[in-house]
Amino acid sequence: MKKHMKTLNKANLKESAVKGGCGECQASCQSACKTSCTVANQKCEK
Amino acid sequence: MIHKYSLNGYNIILDVYSGAVHVVDDLVYRLVDFTSEGMSSQVPAEAYNALKEYSKEDIDSAYSELFEAYNFGQLHAPDDYEQFADMMINASVKSMCLNISHDCNLACEYCFASKGGFGGERCLMSEETACKAIDFLIEKSVGRRNLEVDFFGGEPLMNYDVVKKTVEYARSKEQEFDKNFRFTITTNGLLLDDEKIDFINREMHNCVLSIDGRREVNDRLRVDWGNRGSHDRILPKFKKLVSQRNGKDYYARATYTRYNLDFTNDILYLYEQGFDQLSEEPVVSDPKLDFSIQEEDLPRIFEEYEILAKKLIEMKKNGEKINFFHFMIDLNQGPCAIRRLRGCSCGNEYVAITPQGDIFPCHQFVGNENWNMGNLNDGTFNVDIKKKFAKTTIYNKRKCRDCWARFYCSGGCNAINFEKNNDILEPYSLYCDMEKKRLECAIMIQAALADD
Ligand code: SF4
Ligand code: SF4
């Protein structure tokens, strides 16, 4: 158990690149605001 | 690459290339400055000197935790993603903004579309053009099953019959072509009635309800052509729509300007009115316009995002269900890294269609003839413009290459970049500053919610 730091997530960006790229997820600007996009809050379709 | 910041009592270290987020004590927060891509298991001597107020034992144990994270690929992970940058160049078009109405029954002062007309003639899309747009999308979406069509304008409900016929037409093609249409609509609410509410709730995967919050805020800028405010006319209709939505997605979507930099109050107002899916966007337009956000407003805006973030933490800890679009972040299961290399995919996987059948990279480019990609009636489609947009990844945007926020922001809005800097690859710094602040808040909220 770490005393000085807590890691909130399992680092997975790298893994996601291997499995990803299916292109089925929503275009981000469509989702809520149509003026600026934040991709990190999009849902993955897999 | 790491990004570290302290906010609301949390010291946060984001490891950019792995996506790991660490919440750390003061010692690690300082000690991490003595680590780098090639860190060894030995504590660097300078670290002991710089951190004299801590015991050697504490420094050693803190360092060993950092080193462990490093060995797990969660600290100073390498940037492995450039190899995927060109992956989407031949991507299919799968999303479409249908500008079903270039006319509006409101005349909001800040409208980017020149009060609905997009700087041209006021007109509605014909059924014929709308159906051609659906055919175009089916034809161009090779290999993609989920297709998105957003009814947009102007005010789409001013052309409700064509909206209905378009949906009917697209649904009639789903089986034959193995496609799943997801429709969305963005409306100002004025024309909503029971029939339209039923239709929207049945057919629309998501809907965006434009309302700016408190009556005085909404009615200052969201006015009709007689300069009358719209709040009292739209609120009951939106409430009714949401109460019958049965859990389907929607957003109450507000716009904030220099006139309401205390926008947390608008979010809370909308929540009290029964809306729990909320979004709020700044108006960054011509700086000469009094309501447009300016550089000098940033400190106040940052403060307000912090106020909103703290309020949301408190509410969520009390079990309240409230969701603010710009603070949504899923640290474990977000989109894949490949998706994160390109933002909106405008002009490549996403296009906008005007009532005349013209094709533009997205709704914000409509009306700028230099970006006209073709027309549905003569079958033209400019593949060079498509390729140009396909290459707007974070690796081709100079500024994004060294930005910590790049896997969350994904390179900003090409349309704003063009409007402000005359170059789709040159991010607009005011936008970046706000985006980074929202991300810091979003990650901090996750830290706070994990802290019990
Ligand atoms: S914040 Fe700006 S520099 Fe950073 S990734 Fe987004 S657009 Fe690029
Ligand atoms: S360029 Fe900007 S407005 Fe257009 S789709 Fe992309 S993020 Fe949205």
Side-chain angles (χ1 to χ4, degrees), chain B residues 433-445:
Chain B
D433 292 341
M434 286 193 275
E435 175 71 3
K436 286 188 275 195
K437 185 65 189 185
R438 290 190 295 243
L439 285 168
E440 287 189 345
C441 288
I443 294 170
M444 181 277 287
I445 291 174

Side-chain angles (χ1 to χ4, degrees), chain B residues 211-276:
Chain B
I211 179 169
D212 285 355
R214 291 165 291 178
R215 179 187 284 113
E216 63 277 17
V217 170
N218 186 84
D219 286 357
R220 186 157 180 189
L221 297 166
R222 295 194 70 78
V223 292
D224 62 19
W225 292 87
N227 211 23
R228 286 174 305 247
S230 54
H231 174 279
D232 292 358
R233 281 177 280 170
I234 58 177
L235 185 67
K237 295 178 180 181
F238 283 160
K239 281 185 174 175
K240 188 160 191 183
L241 186 149
V242 167
S243 72
Q244 298 174 0
R245 205 150 163 77
N246 269 330
K248 272 194 180 172
D249 286 344
Y250 75 91
Y251 280 96
R253 195 272 197 203
T255 298
Y256 73 86
T257 70
R258 289 193 102 186
Y259 297 157
N260 63 319
L261 294 179
D262 64 339
F263 53 80
T264 299
N265 291 322
D266 294 294
I267 292 292
L268 296 178
Y269 172 83
L270 289 171
Y271 182 70
E272 279 159 23
Q273 297 300 320
F275 304 100
D276 55 12

Side-chain angles (χ1 to χ4, degrees), chain B residues 374-385:
Chain B
N375 188 286
L376 299 177
N377 295 310
D378 59 16
T380 47
F381 186 52
N382 186 326
V383 184
D384 291 335
I385 298 187

Side-chain angles (χ1 to χ4, degrees), chain B residues 394 397-413 417 426-429 431-433 435-436 439:
Chain B
I394 52 176
K397 293 183 177 173
R398 191 185 46 88
K399 210 168 155 191
C400 308
R401 284 193 84 101
D402 5 85
C403 174
W404 66 263
R406 53 203 252 196
F407 291 118
Y408 302 87
C409 159
S410 303
C413 166
N417 298 353
E426 190 57 37
Y428 175 50
S429 61
Y431 172 96
C432 298
D433 292 341
E435 175 71 3
K436 286 188 275 195
L439 285 168

Side-chain angles (χ1 to χ4, degrees), chain B residues 85-240:
Chain B
D86 286 340
M87 218 171 126
M88 296 298 212
I89 289 187
N90 295 316
S92 303
V93 179
K94 61 164 182 108
S95 291
M96 183 178 268
C97 178
L98 261 193
N99 280 7
I100 204 91
S101 163
H102 272 195
D103 197 1
C104 197
N105 46 7
L106 283 184
C108 306
E109 292 291 336
Y110 49 58
C111 182
F112 82 94
S114 314
K115 304 184 179 175
F118 286 83
E121 190 198 341
R122 298 191 169 271
C123 54
L124 303 178
M125 185 180 280
S126 68
E127 183 184 344
E128 190 194 346
T129 303
C131 293
K132 277 187 188 161
I134 296 295
D135 291 338
F136 173 87
L137 188 57
I138 292 175
E139 179 199 322
K140 297 290 179 202
S141 59
V142 181
R144 296 284 182 269
R145 183 160 188 276
N146 294 324
L147 307 183
E148 295 151 22
V149 176
D150 187 39
F151 294 103
F152 198 62
E155 171 51 41
L157 293 182
M158 287 177 82
N159 199 7
Y160 177 61
D161 276 343
V162 175
V163 172
K164 269 198 334 200
K165 291 196 169 121
T166 312
V167 169
E168 208 178 293
Y169 180 75
R171 295 270 183 247
S172 76
K173 304 274 169 182
E174 280 184 319
Q175 265 203 327
E176 182 184 349
F177 294 96
D178 189 28
K179 302 290 180 188
N180 175 34
F181 278 96
R182 286 180 181 160
F183 294 103
T184 57
I185 192 164
T186 302
T187 179
N188 65 26
L190 274 188
L191 289 175
L192 282 174
D193 58 24
D194 288 348
E195 204 246 294
K196 296 188 183 80
I197 289 175
D198 274 356
F199 174 78
I200 289 174
N201 283 343
R202 189 173 63 244
E203 296 290 354
M204 301 291 153
H205 182 71
N206 193 349
C207 62
V208 177
L209 313 172
S210 304
I211 179 169
D212 285 355
R214 291 165 291 178
R215 179 187 284 113
E216 63 277 17
V217 170
N218 186 84
D219 286 357
R220 186 157 180 189
L221 297 166
R222 295 194 70 78
V223 292
D224 62 19
W225 292 87
N227 211 23
R228 286 174 305 247
S230 54
H231 174 279
D232 292 358
R233 281 177 280 170
I234 58 177
L235 185 67
K237 295 178 180 181
F238 283 160
K239 281 185 174 175
K240 188 160 191 183

Side-chain angles (χ1 to χ4, degrees), chain A residues 3-9 12 14 16-17 23-27 31 33-37 39-41 45, chain B residues 19 21-23 25 61 65 94 145-146 148 150 182 206 253 281 325 328 332 337 339 350 363 408 450:
Chain A
K3 201 170 102 207
H4 302 275
M5 58 195 281
K6 177 163 94 185
T7 302
L8 296 185
N9 54 352
N12 59 1
K14 213 174 153 168
S16 78
E24 290 290 353
C25 53
Q26 194 180 31
S31 55
C33 22
K34 304 284 281 195
T35 44
S36 72
C37 67
V39 171
N41 55 18
E45 292 281 338
Chain B
V21 175
H22 311 282
V23 183
D25 65 9
S61 81
E65 290 184 15
K94 61 164 182 108
R145 183 160 188 276
N146 294 324
E148 295 151 22
D150 187 39
R182 286 180 181 160
N206 193 349
R253 195 272 197 203
E281 275 283 326
F325 179 74
M328 268 163 70
N332 282 308
R339 178 73 169 86
Y350 171 59
H363 54 291
Y408 302 87

